[in-house]
């Protein structure tokens, strides 16, 4: 366990606790402050990386219709 002094600017979290994380999300949940790593990949950009083989030829045009079946 580690303690840190709260200053006018807030609290400094030592880099050794963050590892190689480039960005974190800070949020308050009830009586806790949560510091969580933010994924460096955008899930939207990952769409279509592993398509499914099927006999549907218009999936890119009518994808909403197929998703909501």
């Amino acid at each position: 366990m580690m303690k840190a002094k709260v200053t006018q600017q807030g609290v400094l979290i030592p880099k050794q606790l963050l590892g190689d994380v480039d960005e974190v999300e800070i949020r308050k949940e009830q009586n806790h402050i949560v510091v969580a790593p933010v994924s460096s990949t955008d899930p939207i950009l990952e769409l279509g990386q592993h398509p499914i083989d099927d006999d549907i030829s218009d999936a890119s045009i009518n994808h909403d219709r197929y998703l909501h079946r």
Side-chain angles (χ1 to χ4, degrees):
M1 182 200 293
M2 179 183 293
K3 293 183 180 183
K5 183 73 177 166
V6 179
T7 68
Q8 290 289 82
Q9 292 79 32
V11 174
L12 178 66
I13 299 173
K15 177 67 176 160
Q16 67 191 32
L17 294 178
L18 301 172
D20 61 351
V21 173
D22 291 325
E23 186 178 9
V24 296
E25 174 183 84
I26 303 168
R27 64 182 178 273
K28 187 173 181 180
E29 294 181 358
Q30 297 176 349
N31 294 329
H32 299 282
I33 297 171
V34 178
V35 179
V38 175
S39 175
S40 61
T41 59
D42 185 342
I44 297 296
L45 297 176
E46 298 294 319
L47 290 175
Q49 294 295 318
H50 305 286
I52 299 171
D53 283 335
D54 202 340
D55 59 351
I56 299 171
S57 61
D58 64 343
S60 63
I61 296 168
N62 296 309
H63 63 280
D64 286 339
R65 184 174 66 167
Y66 293 114
L67 288 174
H68 297 291
R69 283 189 167 180

